[in-house]
Amino acid sequence: MRHDTDDWPEGFLIAVPHAWRDDGLWHDMQAQTQERIGMKLRELYVDLLQQPLSPALTGLVQDIERHRDASAVRGSGHAARRSWC
């Protein structure tokens, strides 16, 4: 894998001809870009995941859980069919 000191700095658009896409360089670029995207997403969502749900979302989650639990108790076998969606 390439490092930050290589030729494709973050934020730059890199055009790779189709003929080069079997090259290891292309795969390295893809892997590095996917890693950067994953890191950025984790940074963005870490704080969001620490926030409490709004009252409306809490109520919705509780409704879904009640519906799921009631379906399981009845043993209807129709868990894939949800009328609340």
Side-chain angles (χ1 to χ4, degrees):
M1 173 159 307
R2 303 258 178 179
H3 301 286
D4 289 328
T5 58
D6 289 333
D7 312 11
W8 55 87
E10 184 175 353
F12 279 63
L13 179 63
I14 308 297
V16 178
H18 286 285
W20 296 1
R21 292 190 182 182
D22 288 333
D23 183 44
L25 174 64
W26 172 246
H27 296 292
D28 287 350
M29 291 170 68
Q30 285 180 312
Q32 184 180 20
T33 300
Q34 290 169 354
E35 174 86 18
R36 284 181 182 164
I37 291 169
M39 286 174 30
K40 293 286 184 191
L41 287 173
R42 285 189 294 278
E43 289 170 8
L44 288 171
Y45 290 116
V46 71
D47 291 333
L48 179 64
L49 295 174
Q50 301 300 320
Q51 301 297 318
L53 292 177
S54 69
L57 282 177
T58 300
L60 178 62
V61 168
Q62 291 170 346
D63 288 346
I64 291 169
E65 289 174 341
R66 276 193 297 273
H67 181 75
R68 182 199 61 207
D69 294 344
S71 294
V73 168
R74 278 183 268 146
S76 64
H78 299 292
R81 192 174 51 173
R82 294 182 173 97
S83 59
W84 42 266
C85 288

